[in-house]
Amino acid sequence: MPLKYALVHEWLTPKATGGSELVVREILNHVAADLYALIDFESVNPDSYLYKRQIGTTILQHFPASRHGVQKYLPLLPLAIEQLDLRNYDVILSSSHTVAKGVLATPEQLHICYCHSPMRYAWDLTFDYLHQSNLGHGVAGWMARYLLHRLRQWDVLSANRVDYFIANSQHTARRIWRCYRREAAVIYPPVNVDNFPFSAEKEDFYLIVSRLVSYKQVSLIVQAFNELQKPLVVIGTGPEMKNIQKISKSNINILGWQPDDVVKKYMSAAKAFVYAACEDFGIALVEAQACGTPVIAYGMGGASETVRDIRSSPPGTGTGVLFKQQTAAALVDAVQEFETYSGKIDCAYLKTHAGNFSSQVFAQRYLDFLRMCKENKIVPGL
């Protein structure tokens, strides 16, 4: 009898279009799995590949305004994910950055978790969450801190329900070890590199494409280019938009949200793609390289694994410049260094390098890992 697979993700909405959703889509391209999530508003979206698909959900599906951000019900997410009844499946695959890995499984089942990040609300972004939610002080602040404390306890406990972890980068694998004391194999997420137009001809502007939220550090980039007085194009929207518009000088062009075809046009024409956030992986950095566009990025997190610093790489294999401090001054120095070395960057090699993170590479490595897990797991029927 063929094995029955369940794939569990956090939420499926038209606004959830990041790297974790690309992983879900790619897995479903190769594994015949039933899909589950906390909430689902994609199966009723005619533009979605999940349109009319049967997707299992939780009680949060019916909560007010859940489609606009189920994170507002953060204290209930662990309880909700545990209500999914997956006993009829042989293999559980989870795609987790919040609570998906916490589904309940029996000893006879195999659970493989592709972890995009340990729960950021409970770990790395605890103090950002308290600040942005205005819960940092008073009785409400202490209640929020206690809630986050309990979330950390649940997050560690639920990690023991996973048989095998996959991380989306070496950086994430180290965070999984720090939070859960669990080893994780590294399989980089799929990037649709063939969908990005290559161009060796570059125009005289730098580019950032990002959600305008505090941890993305777009304001830091703007401050650096205010000083450099070099042309910078900013694509994206978010709560930081007004602040970024306020501090930007005339050399900075803020375009807001743009459709994919416009983003690709700018990405292929830019002199360099600039990024100052510490990302677990950073798909946009690979997309830029697929366009033949060099990257100037903060050299922590996934960027250190996807961008080859031209100053330390063999001739012809550099793909950008990494800066070590998350400051405007360090970025200014990095841009000036980039302009010194930019003539030595082979744009064609950038596209070749980006191919190491393609959807095809992801599928092969994921399926090989799945096969290995099934062979190693001693489970009746597997």
Side-chain angles (χ1 to χ4, degrees), residues 156-172:
V156 174
L157 174 67
S158 62
N160 291 316
R161 302 171 187 172
V162 176
D163 293 301
Y164 297 95
F165 272 104
I166 302 171
N168 63 358
S169 67
Q170 297 289 349
H171 174 71
T172 299

Side-chain angles (χ1 to χ4, degrees), residues 76-197:
L76 301 179
L77 301 191
L79 177 63
I81 204 71
E82 290 179 344
Q83 304 315 303
L84 292 175
D85 186 355
L86 306 180
R87 289 174 296 172
N88 292 328
Y89 295 94
D90 301 298
V91 181
I92 298 172
L93 308 173
S94 58
S95 165
S96 183
H97 54 75
T98 305
V99 296
K101 69 171 178 32
V103 292
L104 300 180
T106 70
E108 290 74 30
Q109 292 173 303
L110 173 64
H111 182 181
I112 303 170
C113 173
Y114 190 99
C115 184
H116 308 276
S117 170
M119 191 190 306
R120 283 196 172 276
Y121 308 106
W123 301 98
D124 303 61
L125 298 182
T126 290
F127 298 105
D128 288 333
Y129 178 78
L130 290 169
H131 175 72
Q132 293 173 9
S133 60
N134 296 317
L135 293 174
H137 305 285
V139 175
W142 280 108
M143 290 179 64
R145 284 175 166 81
Y146 178 72
L147 164 65
L148 294 171
H149 170 70
R150 294 302 301 269
L151 279 174
R152 282 189 287 273
Q153 291 179 320
W154 180 88
D155 199 34
V156 174
L157 174 67
S158 62
N160 291 316
R161 302 171 187 172
V162 176
D163 293 301
Y164 297 95
F165 272 104
I166 302 171
N168 63 358
S169 67
Q170 297 289 349
H171 174 71
T172 299
R174 289 190 292 270
R175 294 181 60 234
I176 290 171
W177 174 256
R178 188 182 70 225
C179 296
Y180 308 145
R181 287 299 188 260
R182 294 290 303 276
E183 298 283 355
V186 174
I187 301 176
Y188 293 116
V191 183
N192 295 322
V193 294
D194 295 334
N195 291 343
F196 287 82

Side-chain angles (χ1 to χ4, degrees), residues 22 230 233 262 352 369:
L22 290 176
K230 295 182 183 297
V233 174
V262 174
T352 300
F369 188 81

Side-chain angles (χ1 to χ4, degrees), residues 9-22:
H9 189 53
E10 264 89 19
W11 45 80
L12 299 166
T13 71
K15 291 186 177 180
T17 57
S20 62
E21 284 72 35
L22 290 176

